[in-house]
Amino acid sequence: MNKKWNYSSFGIPDSYFIRGKAPMTKEEVRAVVMGKLRLQEDNIFIDVGAGTGSVSIEAALKLSKGKVYAIEYKEEALNLLEVNKNAFELNNIEILKGRGKTELNKIEAFDRIFIGGSGGELPWIMDHALQHLSQEGRIVITAVTLETLTSALHGLKDKGFQEVEMVSIGVSKGRSTGNYTLMEAQNTIYVLSATKR
Amino acid sequence: MNKKWNYSSFGIPDSYFIRGKAPMTKEEVRAVVMGKLRLQEDNIFIDVGAGTGSVSIEAALKLSKGKVYAIEYKEEALNLLEVNKNAFELNNIEILKGRGKTELNKIEAFDRIFIGGSGGELPWIMDHALQHLSQEGRIVITAVTLETLTSALHGLKDKGFQEVEMVSIGVSKGRSTGNYTLMEAQNTIYVLSATKR
Amino acid sequence: MNKKWNYSSFGIPDSYFIRGKAPMTKEEVRAVVMGKLRLQEDNIFIDVGAGTGSVSIEAALKLSKGKVYAIEYKEEALNLLEVNKNAFELNNIEILKGRGKTELNKIEAFDRIFIGGSGGELPWIMDHALQHLSQEGRIVITAVTLETLTSALHGLKDKGFQEVEMVSIGVSKGRSTGNYTLMEAQNTIYVLSATKR
Amino acid sequence: MNKKWNYSSFGIPDSYFIRGKAPMTKEEVRAVVMGKLRLQEDNIFIDVGAGTGSVSIEAALKLSKGKVYAIEYKEEALNLLEVNKNAFELNNIEILKGRGKTELNKIEAFDRIFIGGSGGELPWIMDHALQHLSQEGRIVITAVTLETLTSALHGLKDKGFQEVEMVSIGVSKGRSTGNYTLMEAQNTIYVLSATKR
């Protein structure tokens, strides 16, 4: 299918992305993440640990006057990121190769930041985000482990973010086997979000 | 807060809506529903059983060149729908007062349809949707009961919709009580979706 | 570890059973099933689709004056069933090799019945159970598909069982990876139960 | 209904207990807790924060040669505890009125301990349990908040308990409304367990 991004700029099925072994925020959780980001079309948005780039791409399609910085350091994910960026014919995504800590310092100001994977740098990134986010800017974090959840939740509160919120999302997907529909569970994802005010 | 819709056209917190006792599709599930709809900006979209109008409004903000028909027959919900439509200063929502069966016949063609409440008319509405949806049009249904889930799932398959999919979404929301965070569970919602092809 | 059944007669970890590829009701769901059965120590209990025998064995340990009939027709499961029965040194389990429909007719009367797998015979088994269960006898059914759930729930109600109840159980298990705890989701299981009165 | 405990000594429905406003571990979670305790009939078992006493009573019915100490300090819960103990005609439950820290020091040795509510004394209780539990003794903790979960999980590991395990249990209960079955969600409960070795 060519010109996939023309099909819909709001809501992209998982199957539209080229996927490897890089982790990908699944469709339903990605929808929740996009909602919590509360993007405006002229926003500067940073995706830390972009993986296959599904969040970067869905955001880029919405940011008709804005820009996405996709930070990633793993070689395989970087390749997929490039491939997907090209498949969706997007020119408002800039891929930054490196660790969050290093690359974030290269971006002067931003309005939205999503941290899907942080490799242990989460506290530093939260501090940086609080300093450099624009007023009313939004931070969204996903966690799959109890320790990241705790660190993110208490970090957001202690550092002084406002409107701190945490939800858990448990998705099961119906799979047909003959005349039966089996519900296949995905692991629960925790989505944290807050506003800089 | 005035000009709420200016704040963000992608992702609206529940608190931005004026709510009464009418049922409202909650923020996270609404995000998943919006994703499954795969809206394009020029779509004609029908919201059957619009309730407070949260889905209608979120869709209307995305449909810069399209239109929303919000069908509802309950008096209290109709009032909230009107109030919310005005609060978001939207003029691409037309409220249709009546039952789905009656009102749907007044709309010639459409590209997307969401059924959040159907008062027993679901099989008829699915038939109608299959006939009148545009090619590649999308239908999305939410169910909270086992019987609606079964009727919707088997209806979509038997009637000949394509890409039939069903996911369950279980959301818990963290609530702070002193130094503790309690996870409050919302009832699981089933989101069904399909394409007319 | 020998004499495992001596360790504890109430609550057996999954790891105590010898497992093959045969399906096994996992520990937490098995605990809920055992609770819903409301066993009394002199009960005659039938386990239809016994698989590895984890439910049969946990029941047999409680039925100091009762008996378990474990019905299974798959060769591999039958072997595991035999191995586990011997490992727990139980002599109040009788293994019946065959389909539920055939084997149930060989048992005159019973007080409790659990159907973990029915291979399409569920409606017949519910009818049979209603006729042959002793007064105040209990039936418990687990379902993993939407269709079995619906068939079991409406079957129990329509056939005239009392105290019909349905719960869904979603279990996630914490798994340590370094300093992190990942929550791994198991598929949701539906547990139905009812009383003959 | 008199002689309730005669009806079944394995698996007690919630409705069999007299309940007030005191918190009660619900039936399905109680079944999982009982399983994780791996009771043996001659065990000394302590229930810290016994509430209405549902766990104490279900344990007492299994401990034909053992004993239950039910610790509780809230007046209302103490009354319900007494009422339920009498309703089930149990004489192997000793109710200890006071805080865990004080009352635990009065019990010389024990084989099993359940902490359903600890009022901030959890770290102390875990230390005490590790010292005073018999070899191969079991500790089970339920948590409903993220902070108790974290404290319990890391406490059990750091203090040197063995076989540390954590599961989350999400139960929804089907409720009939006319011809429809609504799934009503209960809050997710975290069940932690470990062995002293």
Side-chain angles (χ1 to χ4, degrees):
Chain A
M1 190 189 309
N2 63 338
K3 293 256 184 201
K4 279 169 190 168
W5 60 270
N6 242 359
Y7 179 75
S8 165
S9 54
F10 312 104
I12 310 176
D14 285 349
S15 59
Y16 283 28
F17 297 102
I18 292 125
R19 300 169 62 178
K21 287 177 188 164
M24 186 170 102
T25 306
K26 295 261 176 53
E27 188 176 339
E28 292 79 15
V29 173
R30 197 169 65 238
V32 173
V33 165
M34 296 312 298
K36 298 294 179 196
L37 281 171
R38 301 184 201 159
L39 295 176
Q40 292 179 271
E41 56 184 3
D42 59 353
N43 282 167
I44 304 299
F45 166 63
I46 305 180
D47 183 3
V48 184
T52 26
S54 61
V55 169
S56 285
I57 283 162
E58 189 146 351
L61 288 166
K62 291 179 161 73
L63 300 181
S64 50
K65 302 172 191 166
K67 184 173 176 175
V68 175
Y69 291 98
I71 300 178
E72 180 59 65
Y73 73 95
K74 287 180 195 143
E75 208 57 52
E76 193 190 348
L78 279 162
N79 290 339
L80 287 168
L81 199 45
E82 193 70 47
V83 166
N84 278 312
K85 177 189 161 182
N86 293 336
F88 281 84
E89 299 179 14
L90 288 161
N91 51 26
N92 59 345
I93 298 183
E94 186 174 333
I95 299 173
L96 299 178
K97 182 180 174 175
R99 309 289 304 209
K101 224 165 162 166
T102 320
E103 301 307 312
L104 276 167
N105 277 318
K106 297 177 183 169
I107 307 161
E108 219 157 290
F110 48 94
D111 308 296
R112 303 289 186 266
I113 185 165
F114 170 63
I115 305 142
S118 61
E121 296 179 328
L122 189 55
W124 185 91
I125 297 174
M126 287 191 285
D127 276 330
H128 184 88
L130 188 61
Q131 285 182 321
H132 295 271
L133 267 174
S134 60
Q135 203 57 15
E136 294 296 315
R138 298 274 297 162
I139 182 171
V140 177
I141 302 168
T142 50
V144 292
T145 68
L146 186 55
E147 290 73 16
T148 305
L149 165 60
T150 303
S151 159
L153 181 61
H154 291 284
L156 290 175
K157 286 186 176 175
D158 296 349
K159 290 174 199 303
F161 281 95
Q162 302 297 308
E163 252 192 290
V164 178
E165 191 208 67
M166 185 260 281
V167 295
S168 72
I169 313 285
V171 175
S172 291
K173 213 154 201 160
R175 187 165 64 82
S176 292
T177 58
N179 292 318
Y180 292 92
T181 311
L182 185 69
M183 297 302 290
E184 293 189 317
Q186 296 171 9
N187 289 347
T188 294
I189 310 278
Y190 299 88
V191 181
L192 300 104
S193 55
T195 304
K196 173 184 175 174
R197 191 164 288 159
Chain B
M1 192 188 309
N2 62 339
K3 295 256 184 201
K4 278 169 190 169
W5 60 270
N6 244 357
Y7 179 74
S8 163
S9 54
F10 312 104
I12 310 176
D14 285 349
S15 59
Y16 282 29
F17 297 102
I18 292 124
R19 299 168 64 176
K21 287 175 190 168
M24 186 169 102
T25 306
K26 296 262 175 55
E27 188 175 338
E28 292 79 15
V29 173
R30 198 169 64 239
V32 173
V33 165
M34 296 311 297
K36 298 294 179 195
L37 281 171
R38 302 185 201 160
L39 293 177
Q40 292 180 271
E41 57 184 2
D42 59 353
N43 281 168
I44 305 298
F45 166 63
I46 306 181
D47 184 2
V48 184
T52 25
S54 62
V55 170
S56 286
I57 283 162
E58 189 146 351
L61 289 166
K62 290 179 162 72
L63 300 181
S64 51
K65 301 172 190 165
K67 184 172 176 176
V68 175
Y69 290 98
I71 300 178
E72 179 59 65
Y73 73 96
K74 288 184 195 138
E75 209 58 52
E76 192 189 350
L78 279 162
N79 290 340
L80 287 168
L81 199 45
E82 192 71 46
V83 166
N84 278 312
K85 177 190 160 179
N86 293 336
F88 281 84
E89 298 179 15
L90 288 161
N91 51 25
N92 59 345
I93 299 182
E94 185 174 334
I95 300 173
L96 298 179
K97 182 179 175 176
R99 309 289 302 211
K101 224 165 163 167
T102 320
E103 301 308 312
L104 276 169
N105 277 318
K106 298 177 182 167
I107 306 162
E108 221 157 288
F110 48 94
D111 308 296
R112 302 289 186 267
I113 185 165
F114 170 62
I115 304 143
S118 61
E121 296 178 329
L122 188 56
W124 185 91
I125 296 174
M126 286 190 285
D127 276 329
H128 183 89
L130 188 60
Q131 285 183 321
H132 296 271
L133 268 174
S134 60
Q135 203 56 17
E136 294 296 316
R138 297 274 298 162
I139 181 170
V140 177
I141 302 168
T142 49
V144 292
T145 68
L146 186 55
E147 290 74 16
T148 304
L149 165 59
T150 303
S151 158
L153 181 60
H154 292 283
L156 289 175
K157 286 186 176 175
D158 296 348
K159 290 174 199 302
F161 280 96
Q162 301 298 308
E163 252 192 291
V164 176
E165 192 208 66
M166 185 260 281
V167 295
S168 72
I169 312 285
V171 175
S172 291
K173 212 156 203 161
R175 186 166 64 81
S176 292
T177 58
N179 292 320
Y180 292 93
T181 311
L182 185 68
M183 297 302 290
E184 294 189 316
Q186 297 172 9
N187 290 347
T188 294
I189 310 277
Y190 298 89
V191 180
L192 301 104
S193 55
T195 303
K196 174 186 175 173
R197 191 164 290 157
Chain C
M1 190 190 307
N2 61 340
K3 295 257 184 199
K4 279 169 190 171
W5 59 270
N6 244 357
Y7 179 74
S8 163
S9 54
F10 312 105
I12 310 174
D14 286 348
S15 59
Y16 282 29
F17 297 102
I18 292 125
R19 300 167 64 177
K21 287 176 189 166
M24 185 169 103
T25 305
K26 296 262 174 55
E27 187 176 340
E28 292 80 14
V29 173
R30 196 169 65 238
V32 173
V33 165
M34 297 311 299
K36 299 293 179 194
L37 281 171
R38 301 184 201 159
L39 294 177
Q40 293 180 271
E41 56 184 3
D42 59 354
N43 281 168
I44 304 298
F45 166 63
I46 306 181
D47 184 2
V48 183
T52 24
S54 62
V55 169
S56 286
I57 284 162
E58 189 146 352
L61 288 167
K62 291 178 161 72
L63 300 181
S64 50
K65 302 172 192 167
K67 183 173 178 176
V68 175
Y69 291 98
I71 301 178
E72 179 60 64
Y73 73 95
K74 289 182 194 141
E75 207 59 51
E76 192 190 348
L78 279 162
N79 291 339
L80 288 167
L81 198 45
E82 192 71 45
V83 166
N84 279 311
K85 177 189 160 180
N86 293 335
F88 282 84
E89 298 179 15
L90 288 161
N91 51 25
N92 59 344
I93 299 183
E94 185 174 334
I95 299 173
L96 299 179
K97 183 180 175 175
R99 308 288 305 209
K101 225 163 162 168
T102 320
E103 301 308 311
L104 277 168
N105 278 318
K106 298 177 182 167
I107 306 162
E108 220 158 289
F110 49 94
D111 308 296
R112 303 289 186 265
I113 185 166
F114 169 64
I115 305 144
S118 60
E121 296 179 328
L122 188 55
W124 184 90
I125 296 174
M126 287 190 284
D127 276 329
H128 183 89
L130 188 60
Q131 285 182 322
H132 297 270
L133 267 174
S134 60
Q135 203 57 16
E136 295 295 317
R138 299 274 298 162
I139 181 170
V140 177
I141 302 168
T142 49
V144 292
T145 68
L146 187 54
E147 289 74 17
T148 304
L149 164 60
T150 303
S151 159
L153 181 60
H154 292 284
L156 289 175
K157 286 185 177 174
D158 296 349
K159 289 174 199 303
F161 280 96
Q162 301 298 308
E163 253 192 291
V164 178
E165 191 208 66
M166 185 260 282
V167 296
S168 73
I169 312 285
V171 175
S172 291
K173 213 156 201 159
R175 186 166 63 83
S176 291
T177 59
N179 291 320
Y180 293 92
T181 312
L182 185 69
M183 298 301 290
E184 294 189 317
Q186 297 172 9
N187 290 346
T188 294
I189 310 277
Y190 299 88
V191 180
L192 301 105
S193 55
T195 303
K196 173 183 174 174
R197 193 162 288 156
Chain D
M1 189 190 310
N2 63 338
K3 293 257 185 202
K4 279 169 190 170
W5 61 270
N6 245 357
Y7 179 75
S8 163
S9 54
F10 312 105
I12 310 175
D14 286 348
S15 59
Y16 283 29
F17 297 101
I18 292 123
R19 300 167 63 178
K21 287 177 190 165
M24 185 169 104
T25 305
K26 296 260 175 56
E27 188 176 339
E28 291 81 15
V29 173
R30 197 169 64 240
V32 173
V33 165
M34 296 312 297
K36 299 293 179 195
L37 281 170
R38 301 184 200 160
L39 293 177
Q40 292 180 270
E41 57 185 3
D42 59 353
N43 282 167
I44 305 298
F45 167 62
I46 306 180
D47 183 2
V48 184
T52 26
S54 61
V55 169
S56 286
I57 284 161
E58 190 146 352
L61 289 166
K62 291 178 162 72
L63 301 180
S64 50
K65 301 172 190 165
K67 183 172 177 177
V68 175
Y69 291 97
I71 301 178
E72 180 60 63
Y73 73 97
K74 288 183 195 139
E75 208 58 53
E76 192 188 349
L78 280 162
N79 291 339
L80 287 167
L81 199 45
E82 193 71 46
V83 166
N84 278 312
K85 176 189 162 182
N86 294 336
F88 282 84
E89 298 180 15
L90 288 161
N91 52 25
N92 58 345
I93 299 183
E94 185 173 334
I95 299 173
L96 298 178
K97 183 180 175 175
R99 309 289 304 211
K101 223 164 163 167
T102 320
E103 301 308 312
L104 276 168
N105 277 318
K106 298 177 182 169
I107 307 162
E108 219 158 291
F110 48 94
D111 308 296
R112 302 290 186 265
I113 184 165
F114 170 63
I115 305 143
S118 60
E121 297 179 328
L122 188 55
W124 184 92
I125 297 173
M126 287 190 286
D127 276 331
H128 183 90
L130 188 60
Q131 286 182 321
H132 296 271
L133 268 174
S134 60
Q135 203 57 16
E136 293 297 316
R138 297 275 298 162
I139 180 170
V140 177
I141 302 168
T142 50
V144 292
T145 69
L146 186 56
E147 290 73 16
T148 304
L149 164 60
T150 303
S151 158
L153 181 60
H154 293 283
L156 289 175
K157 286 185 177 175
D158 296 349
K159 289 174 199 303
F161 280 96
Q162 301 298 309
E163 253 192 291
V164 177
E165 191 208 65
M166 185 258 283
V167 295
S168 71
I169 312 285
V171 175
S172 290
K173 212 156 203 161
R175 187 165 63 82
S176 292
T177 58
N179 291 320
Y180 293 93
T181 311
L182 185 69
M183 298 300 291
E184 294 189 317
Q186 296 172 10
N187 290 346
T188 294
I189 310 277
Y190 299 88
V191 181
L192 301 104
S193 55
T195 303
K196 174 184 175 174
R197 193 164 289 158

